[in-house]
Amino acid sequence: VSVIEAERIIANHERMPHSPEYENGSAYTQDTYRPIEQGVVPITDAGFIHADAAYDVVSASAGYMFRMQDHIKRFTESCAKFGLENPYSEAQTEEILNNLVRLAGLKDAYIWWAVTRGELEEGDRVSAQYKNKFYAFVTPYMFIHGDELRTRGAKVKISTEFKRIPKESVDPTAKNFHWMDMKLSVFEAIMSGAEWSVLTDFDGNLTEAPGCNIFLIKDGVLKTPDDGCLEGITRQTVFDLAEELEVKLEVTKIPVQELV
Ligand SMILES: Cc1ncc(COP(=O)(O)O)c(C=O)c1O
């Protein structure tokens, strides 16, 4: 791809009519739709205090949700892996997310939702004691990087200071709030003059990058880590495209030395 113009194209998408209070986005908290500025989390919510939550994110582009059913299904699976119960059904969840996009009038949107364990209470050492809570928000689509950087490619640092949290500690296939390894690796990368980071596991195999799965092409073969990462919907889309284009794909362990 020689020219990437995602930002310019999005800037040309006319926004749908919406109430001015939803200009910056919309939120759904305490079972109520609100302007995003009024979307708040109770301070004793275990999601906030203990990162005790599952979440998901989907984007809308030109008014189309990207593989919404796949995201909803993954979210249900993430909740199950952490013993969380979404107070809303899959159909209700989808309806809430659609309503949030509609309220904000956005065609290109960042759509986030989560179920947390809920507010701390006496007896909270037993999961069943909690009342799990649902939160969601929608904002104008946010890019991690701009068109210029995407066109030339980012300078990436393989973190030397931080390893990906082991899958035996927090299951990375369940989308979760444990971002400290990823966030600090980005700060490390930026401080060393790079633009994004990639993390390895404790055996020196590539896992993923903050907010994205990784692929490399070596000797005409497309490769991606088999383990220690989120089973991303974008990753699945790359699998689908590789099959369609008959590109050889290996889902395998990738020692960091393969990049040298
Ligand atoms: C850690 C991590 N890996 C990968 C991804 C990419 O997942 P998807 O393609 O489903 O958006 C994300 C997305 O937020 C992520 O947080």
Side-chain angles (χ1 to χ4, degrees):
V1 180
S2 57
V3 179
I4 294 178
E5 297 193 321
E7 282 176 311
R8 190 187 63 74
I9 291 167
I10 281 185
N12 285 339
H13 289 163
E14 208 176 305
R15 198 154 162 184
M16 301 295 284
H18 58 280
S19 159
E21 55 186 357
Y22 290 105
E23 181 61 22
N24 296 324
S26 50
Y28 189 84
T29 64
Q30 288 81 36
D31 306 309
T32 306
Y33 294 99
R34 306 164 194 274
I36 191 147
E37 292 83 358
Q38 293 168 24
V40 294
V41 177
I43 200 158
T44 60
D45 191 306
F48 176 65
I49 297 178
H50 294 149
D52 187 353
Y55 80 109
D56 221 293
V57 175
V58 65
S59 58
S61 179
Y64 293 95
M65 303 277 197
F66 177 58
R67 299 184 73 152
M68 182 56 134
Q69 292 315 316
D70 292 333
H71 287 85
I72 296 260
K73 179 169 171 279
R74 179 176 67 186
F75 181 66
T76 300
E77 289 167 2
S78 296
C79 287
K81 287 172 185 169
F82 292 146
L84 292 162
E85 202 175 320
N86 187 350
Y88 294 107
S89 67
E90 291 192 347
Q92 287 170 325
T93 299
E94 190 177 352
E95 191 187 334
I96 292 167
L97 300 177
N98 280 326
N99 287 340
L100 286 171
V101 173
R102 208 168 291 126
L103 279 170
L106 287 164
K107 287 191 180 157
D108 303 282
Y110 178 92
I111 302 155
W112 181 102
W113 71 105
V115 166
T116 68
R117 193 77 55 192
E119 288 170 64
L120 299 180
E121 281 173 26
E122 259 188 88
D124 62 12
R125 276 147 202 87
V126 179
S127 179
Q129 296 287 137
Y130 285 88
K131 196 163 176 294
N132 298 170
K133 294 284 173 66
F134 178 91
Y135 300 93
F137 70 81
V138 165
T139 61
Y141 188 77
M142 295 183 259
F143 285 104
I144 292 180
H145 291 299
D147 286 351
E148 183 272 325
L149 186 143
R150 273 201 300 275
T151 304
R152 73 170 154 80
K155 187 171 173 209
V156 167
K157 177 168 172 42
I158 311 293
S159 179
T160 48
E161 283 186 50
F162 303 99
K163 306 276 179 246
R164 188 78 180 98
I165 296 171
K167 63 177 185 203
E168 293 80 4
S169 301
V170 180
D171 182 351
T173 69
K175 209 161 153 62
N176 63 77
F177 280 7
H178 291 76
W179 266 75
M180 196 60 92
D181 52 347
M182 296 191 282
K183 298 275 313 208
L184 294 182
S185 74
V186 172
F187 298 151
E188 175 199 3
I190 304 287
M191 291 311 284
S192 72
E195 290 158 322
W196 208 247
S197 60
V198 167
L199 294 126
T200 67
D201 62 19
F202 280 85
D203 297 322
N205 297 308
L206 300 178
T207 60
E208 60 191 330
C212 32
N213 289 109
I214 52 170
F215 285 83
L216 62 93
I217 300 170
K218 197 157 189 190
D219 304 325
V221 179
L222 183 62
K223 292 186 175 187
T224 197
D226 59 346
D227 202 17
C229 59
L230 184 72
E231 288 165 359
I233 311 294
T234 316
R235 177 177 179 261
Q236 181 58 50
T237 306
V238 175
F239 293 176
D240 297 347
L241 290 172
E243 191 181 350
E244 202 177 308
L245 299 171
E246 296 179 11
V247 172
K248 191 162 185 286
L249 168 74
E250 282 180 15
V251 183
T252 179
K253 295 247 166 301
I254 308 178
V256 68
Q257 292 80 3
E258 282 213 25
L259 292 178
V260 182

